[in-house]
Amino acid sequence: MRSETPVRLGEVGQLPVVLGPVEAGRMLGLGRTTTYRLLRQGAFPVPALRVGWSWRIPTAGILAHLGLPVPSTSGEGCSGCGARSNHGMEGES
């Protein structure tokens, strides 16, 4: 994703689970400086996680804020938990 172009709807399904501040801000129509200012102030419009010196913003939070559906998992495993298809097979040998 290039920071000067808007996110296209077709790109949503290809987004990673978490985004960096620049990509998250871009999805919300915010510039880099504004994004970092809001993060520092604790006023970013979606939940953000501080990991060491870095910020990580869950993609699901951004999509929910925008009113977009969160892409589902492939359907394998339990109902939408995202686990692999062998989830729940711990006791089987």
Side-chain angles (χ1 to χ4, degrees):
M1 287 191 293
R2 295 182 50 199
S3 59
E4 62 270 2
T5 59
V7 176
R8 305 268 182 224
L9 194 54
E11 291 179 82
V12 171
Q14 299 172 359
L15 292 171
V17 174
V18 293
L19 299 169
V22 175
E23 294 84 12
R26 176 178 157 231
M27 289 190 69
L28 298 173
L30 302 172
R32 178 185 174 90
T33 303
T34 301
T35 297
Y36 278 101
R37 180 176 45 82
L38 292 172
L39 286 168
R40 281 192 307 274
Q41 294 173 346
F44 199 69
V46 299
L49 307 167
R50 187 73 190 244
V51 182
W53 292 99
S54 301
W55 288 98
R56 294 292 174 244
I57 298 94
T59 303
I62 300 236
L63 296 176
H65 181 76
L66 295 173
L68 297 172
V70 177
S72 64
T73 60
S74 65
E76 293 183 36
C78 59
S79 59
C81 74
R84 293 189 224 184
S85 60
N86 64 355
H87 181 73
M89 298 176 69
E90 294 88 12
E92 297 177 22
S93 293

